[in-house]
């Protein structure tokens, strides 16, 4: 790619080396607003693209319901991904393959009712786009029309280029996804790091370039060696969002349940647990269980009452013999 290129999402790109990694001052630290102030204004896809040009790091988090969407929004996260990871963490499947479009649209709609500032991305589930651009267009349109999403995400490399181009040509913003693609976990032999050989890494880089040229506004790099992710990030003018791809990506994403310790003891190598909410939930539920069994809950504070006169009248009416 050239040092300075035109982008459909935001004009000319700044020369490489700007921002935190290049040493030049960044507006991310000068005059930036707090998440509370920023929450007033809805972020857009072009603004996400511009964050790379401005040297600002991008944050992305999954969410699947209205309650957590509100919390992710309040935290100042830039992008919410309604991921098909819901198949595992919400629906109990062993992988993401069984998730349907109806599953995804329902969860995405809930998220859009809870979050106002972040860019919202709906994850295209397995089978919703592999059959061709027309099916992909019909299914992707549901995310925008029925669920209020701003964009969709599609897994895959060169084989998805024409689909990405068709969606973008029809006004649908697309986030691409290469490296470990969980929808192909059976073909890949499990959740394994990808692009570890020079040949495989070169193929991944070529796929990323082709997806950018097809119109993708950003690309997720999952479970690939950090040096490979750094090369992709340097090569592209669109943002890279890493998950198990090292620190040189333009942004990072994690699964909410991994971050909060809500998915049992399972924790991928690349996931950092920032809280152990799961244990706190268990403690709270055990306390509830104990108080109900001992009669401590509900107490007067958590019960409703009525006027003494009304209670007396009720008691009298229930003891008075019925008229024959």
């Amino acid at each position: 790619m050239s040092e300075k290129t035109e982008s459909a999402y935001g004009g000319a790109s700044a020369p490489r080396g700007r921002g935190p990694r290049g040493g030049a001052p960044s507006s991310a630290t000068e005059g930036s607003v707090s998440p509370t102030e920023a929450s007033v204004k809805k972020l857009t896809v072009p603004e996400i693209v511009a964050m790379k040009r401005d040297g600002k790091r991008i944050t992305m988090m999954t969410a699947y319901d209205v309650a957590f969407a509100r919390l992710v929004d309040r935290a100042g996260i830039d992008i919410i991904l309604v991921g098909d990871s819901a198949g595992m963490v919400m629906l109990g499947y062993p992988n993401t393959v069984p998730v349907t479009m109806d599953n995804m649209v329902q969860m995405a709609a809930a998220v859009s009712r809870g979050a106002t500032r972040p860019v919202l991305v709906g994850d295209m589930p397995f089978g919703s786009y592999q059959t061709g651009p027309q099916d992909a267009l019909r299914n992707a349109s549901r995310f925008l029309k029925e669920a209020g999403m701003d964009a969709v995400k599609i897994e895959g490399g060169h084989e998805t280029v024409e689909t990405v181009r068709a969606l973008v040509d029809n006004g649908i913003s697309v986030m691409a996804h290469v490296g470990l693609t969980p929808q192909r976990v059976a073909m890949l032999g499990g959740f394994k790091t990808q692009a570890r050989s020079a040949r495989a890494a070169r193929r991944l880089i070529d796929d990323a370039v082709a997806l950018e040229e097809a119109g993708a506004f950003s690309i997720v790099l999952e479970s690939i060696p950090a040096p490979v992710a750094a090369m992709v990030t340097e090569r592209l003018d669109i943002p890279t969002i890493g998950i198990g791809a090292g620190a040189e990506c333009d942004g990072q994403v994690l699964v909410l349940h991994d971050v909060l310790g809500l998915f049992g003891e399972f924790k991928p190598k690349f996931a950092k647990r920032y809280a152990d909410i799961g244990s706190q939930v268990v403690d709270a539920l055990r306390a509830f269980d104990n108080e109900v069994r001992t009669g401590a809950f509900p107490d007067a504070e958590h019960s409703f009452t009525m006027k003494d006169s009304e209670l007396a009248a009720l008691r009298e009416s229930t003891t008075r013999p019925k008229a024959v």
Side-chain angles (χ1 to χ4, degrees):
M1 304 294 284
S2 62
E3 282 286 297
K4 194 175 185 181
T5 61
E6 292 294 324
S7 165
Y9 289 101
S13 299
R16 297 294 185 194
R18 304 294 292 176
R21 290 189 291 274
S26 166
S27 57
T29 55
E30 295 183 7
S32 60
V33 296
S34 69
T36 301
E37 295 170 320
S39 64
V40 176
K41 183 178 181 295
K42 166 74 176 174
L43 278 176
T44 65
V45 166
E47 288 174 321
I48 294 296
V49 178
M51 289 177 72
K52 173 164 184 157
R53 298 197 305 270
D54 295 340
K56 297 179 180 178
R57 299 282 185 168
I58 300 164
T59 56
M60 183 163 85
M61 185 63 57
T62 64
Y64 317 99
D65 60 31
V66 65
F68 273 117
R70 286 172 179 159
L71 297 176
V72 174
D73 188 345
R74 285 173 54 190
I77 300 295
D78 300 313
I79 304 171
I80 291 182
L81 171 65
V82 186
D84 63 359
S85 50
M88 300 175 71
V89 301
M90 298 290 288
L91 303 178
Y93 295 128
N95 54 53
T96 64
V97 173
V99 180
T100 68
M101 270 301 301
D102 286 343
N103 291 151
M104 293 304 303
V105 168
Q106 185 177 37
M107 289 184 284
V111 167
S112 71
R113 290 191 287 268
T116 56
R117 176 182 176 269
V119 167
L120 304 179
V121 179
D123 214 352
M124 296 282 281
F126 183 79
S128 67
Y129 59 92
Q130 287 90 345
T131 51
Q134 288 305 310
D135 284 343
L137 180 58
R138 182 175 63 255
N139 287 316
S141 296
R142 293 188 64 191
F143 272 122
L144 276 64
K145 290 172 64 67
E146 299 175 39
M149 295 290 100
D150 302 306
V152 299
K153 182 173 75 65
I154 289 181
E155 293 183 11
H158 61 277
E159 72 280 4
T160 66
V161 166
E162 291 309 313
T163 296
V164 170
R165 182 175 287 113
L167 294 182
V168 174
D169 285 348
N170 282 278
I172 299 176
S173 297
V174 178
M175 174 181 285
H177 183 156
V178 297
L180 173 60
T181 47
Q183 292 175 11
R184 302 183 183 202
V185 65
M187 180 184 293
L188 297 174
F191 295 94
K192 299 179 179 179
T193 304
Q194 302 298 302
R196 302 186 79 165
S197 70
R199 181 178 180 182
R202 177 65 206 208
R203 185 165 59 247
L204 183 143
I205 293 170
D206 290 344
D207 283 351
V209 170
L211 289 162
E212 178 182 44
E213 291 175 348
F217 77 91
S218 63
I219 185 164
V220 172
L221 306 177
E222 180 168 358
S223 294
I224 65 174
V228 177
M231 293 177 68
V232 175
T233 301
E234 178 65 22
R235 184 74 179 270
L236 301 184
D237 291 316
I238 60 174
T240 59
I241 310 295
I243 177 167
E248 292 304 309
C249 296
D250 298 301
Q252 299 290 330
V253 59
L254 285 175
V255 172
L256 180 71
H257 288 58
D258 293 337
V259 169
L260 300 180
L262 291 173
F263 196 52
E265 295 304 313
F266 175 78
K267 185 175 78 68
K269 174 180 173 60
F270 54 72
K272 181 176 180 179
R273 184 168 291 181
Y274 286 82
D276 191 8
I277 305 300
S279 294
Q280 295 180 43
V281 170
V282 171
D283 290 343
L285 295 178
R286 283 174 175 164
F288 164 77
D289 180 83
N290 179 68
E291 289 196 0
V292 170
R293 295 183 190 282
T294 61
F297 178 85
D299 53 15
E301 180 184 354
H302 300 94
S303 301
F304 297 99
T305 187
M306 60 192 302
K307 291 181 179 180
D308 290 343
S309 58
E310 295 296 331
L311 179 58
L314 173 63
R315 286 172 172 163
E316 181 181 353
S317 68
T318 58
T319 58
R320 184 185 309 138
K322 290 183 178 180
V324 178

